[in-house]
Amino acid sequence: ARRYPRPDAREVEVPDDARSPRDGRDRRDRRDDGRPEQARPRDRTGRPLPYGTTGVALTEPADPATIADAVALGVTRWDEQRYFEAHELLEHAWKAASGVERDLWKGTIQVAVAGVHLQRGNRLGAHRLLGRALERLDTLPDVGAGVDVARLRTLARRARDQLAAGVAPDADWGPFPTAAMPDADATADAWSER
């Protein structure tokens, strides 16, 4: 093992097998298709943990079959205040969407990740992400893709303003802001006008 100084004057010991190998062999975790993927367990806020960690609430692996399944599971994770997992699942919808709906999912994910930052105690990161989320959400109709965008904007704005005032908001965003889709034609018209 080697010892490396850190900027904060602490030294960190890194085991030899944790460093990049000099023999050219790649020891990264890989998926079945050969692409790199981190297999280390993560806590509920997404922080990587050492292999074999026990006694800590971990993220649950999810492999949704459809975008609708991913969104439904993402909503469930949001409701459980598991914002890291919610953002990972909602990314399926974001990546599949285009136009205004893509902005909706991106803004929603940014609010979820701001929740992760609050859970980790990173107020500055939460404040910045909420600001970016509001830049997107403020351009959208009040309802779209089953999301109550107006309610999402309200909770994001309230948390951002509290952070700006030096107050740490609760990291519980409440239930996912779902919206009943009143009239599919009217909603489609409102979204197509953007």
Side-chain angles (χ1 to χ4, degrees), residues 42-56:
R42 292 181 176 267
D43 70 11
R44 290 268 170 93
T45 65
R47 287 187 175 122
L49 300 168
Y51 291 103
T53 297
T54 59
V56 176

Side-chain angles (χ1 to χ4, degrees), residues 8-51:
D8 59 5
R10 291 182 300 148
E11 285 192 3
V12 177
E13 188 167 320
V14 178
D16 290 330
D17 62 350
R19 295 192 331 260
S20 297
R22 293 192 177 139
D23 60 10
R25 289 182 294 151
D26 185 0
R27 293 190 181 112
R28 292 187 291 180
D29 298 322
R30 297 208 171 262
R31 300 186 327 195
D32 292 338
D33 64 2
R35 294 183 61 196
E37 181 175 68
Q38 183 56 257
R40 284 174 48 187
R42 292 181 176 267
D43 70 11
R44 290 268 170 93
T45 65
R47 287 187 175 122
L49 300 168
Y51 291 103

Side-chain angles (χ1 to χ4, degrees), residues 75-194:
V75 167
T76 300
R77 295 293 191 264
W78 179 297
D79 292 346
E80 296 169 347
Q81 299 175 32
R82 294 163 61 178
Y83 302 117
F84 177 79
E85 292 168 277
H87 111 270
E88 291 278 319
L89 290 158
L90 295 175
E91 279 185 349
H92 292 277
W94 168 62
K95 290 176 182 177
S98 61
V100 177
E101 189 173 339
R102 188 172 175 87
D103 285 339
L104 164 85
W105 290 118
K106 178 83 172 196
T108 304
I109 290 164
Q110 287 173 321
V111 174
V113 175
V116 174
H117 282 294
L118 286 174
Q119 289 172 333
R120 292 179 177 178
N122 179 2
R123 292 182 186 184
L124 180 60
H127 183 265
R128 287 180 177 164
L129 263 174
L130 290 167
R132 289 200 310 254
L134 285 165
E135 287 174 9
R136 288 184 194 288
L137 298 173
D138 282 342
T139 66
L140 303 175
D142 287 346
V143 174
V147 178
D148 184 342
V149 179
R151 199 167 92 214
L152 185 60
R153 278 193 299 258
T154 299
L155 78 86
R157 189 166 281 110
R158 183 180 311 121
R160 186 206 52 196
D161 293 348
Q162 286 177 317
L163 286 163
V167 177
D170 189 5
D172 179 2
W173 296 141
F176 186 85
T178 54
M181 300 298 282
D183 176 10
D185 292 333
T187 303
D189 290 343
W191 280 77
S192 65
E193 293 171 6
R194 302 270 169 188

